[in-house]
Amino acid sequence: MQNGERLTKDEERLQKQLDFILELDRLKYIERQSYVADASRHENDAEHSWHLALMAMLLSEYANEEVNVLHVIKMVLIHDAVEIDAGDTYAYDAEGNETKRAREEKAADRIFNILPEDQAGEMRKIWEEFEAGITPEAKFAAALDHIQPIMLNDITGGRAWREHGVAMYQVIDRNSDTHLGSETLWRHTKSLVEKNRDLGNLKNE
C-alpha cells in the first residue's frame, strides 16, 4: 500500500487484530516465579497460558459443573494479557497484591482496546468474568490457574517455594476457593501440597 492511502474498513479491522496478536507475543517475555518442569529456568506467561488451555481441554470432565470448554480455553488464554503492562505479581507478594487490581485494570484498558471495538468488548468481558470468579467456567479456569503452579513446584522439588520461604498455610489460604472449580482436582493437588510439606519444601508453620 502506498503512503497516504487510507485503509478500508476490512483492512483496518484486520490490522487491529494483527496488532493485538503481536502485542500478546510480549507475554513470552513476562517471567513468572514458577520454574519449568526441568527447573532450568522460570516459565513465562505465554507458556503458562498454553498449559492452562491444555489442562482445560483434557481435564474438563473433573469440573464440578458442566462447562463450555471453548469458553474456558478463551479465558485462560487471555487471563494474563494484562501482565504485559502490569507485570506478574507473585501469589505470595502481599505488597504487590495490594496494587495488583489497579495496575491490571489500567493495562486492560490499553491492551484489549488494540482490537476492533466488538472484539475488545468481548475480550474485556471474558477477562472480567475470570476476575469475578462466579460462573462455572470462571471457577474452573481459576482452579486450573492455581493448580498448575503447584504441579510445577512439586515436579521441581518445591524450588520456587523454597526460594521464597513459602509456608503450607499460605498455599492453602491461596487455594481456599480452588475446590469450587473442581473438588477432584483439588483433592489430588492438596495431596501434593502435603507431600511437599513433609519433604520440607514448604515451611510447616
Side-chain angles (χ1 to χ4, degrees), residues 17-34:
Q17 291 165 332
L18 294 175
D19 288 345
F20 180 78
I21 289 167
L22 286 174
E23 182 69 17
L24 262 63
D25 186 73
R26 294 173 61 191
L27 284 172
K28 297 172 184 175
Y29 304 99
I30 307 300
E31 196 173 83
R32 296 171 54 81
Q33 293 301 317
S34 298

Side-chain angles (χ1 to χ4, degrees), residues 9 33 38 45 76-77 80 83 86 102 130 133 142 163 182 190-191:
K9 265 193 167 181
Q33 293 301 317
D38 69 355
D45 268 352
V76 298
L77 284 176
D80 276 343
E83 294 188 359
F130 175 82
E163 287 179 351
S182 174
K190 189 178 179 184
S191 72

Side-chain angles (χ1 to χ4, degrees), residues 50-153:
W50 161 80
H51 223 175
L52 297 189
L54 181 65
M55 292 170 71
M57 183 177 72
L58 296 177
L59 303 177
S60 62
E61 64 191 89
Y62 303 109
N64 291 345
E65 305 168 78
E66 187 174 343
V67 295
N68 181 323
V69 177
L70 178 58
H71 192 64
V72 176
I73 290 173
K74 287 181 180 180
M75 197 174 290
V76 298
L77 284 176
I78 62 100
H79 80 293
D80 276 343
V82 294
E83 294 188 359
I84 290 169
D85 289 355
D88 175 61
T89 304
Y90 188 47
Y92 308 107
D93 177 2
E95 185 177 341
N97 277 287
E98 287 181 6
T99 62
K100 178 182 177 182
R101 181 64 186 182
R103 287 184 283 113
E104 292 189 347
E105 286 274 3
K106 183 178 179 181
D109 289 341
R110 184 190 75 81
I111 293 165
F112 294 129
N113 282 313
I114 293 171
L115 282 164
E117 186 175 353
D118 62 320
Q119 290 184 320
E122 178 191 4
M123 292 297 106
R124 181 62 178 258
K125 185 177 179 182
I126 291 171
W127 180 73
E128 293 285 3
E129 180 183 350
F130 175 82
E131 291 294 306
I134 295 171
T135 65
E137 286 78 13
K139 286 186 281 190
F140 185 58
L144 299 179
D145 189 37
H146 288 177
I147 288 167
Q148 188 258 6
I150 294 174
M151 292 171 59
L152 289 178
N153 265 292

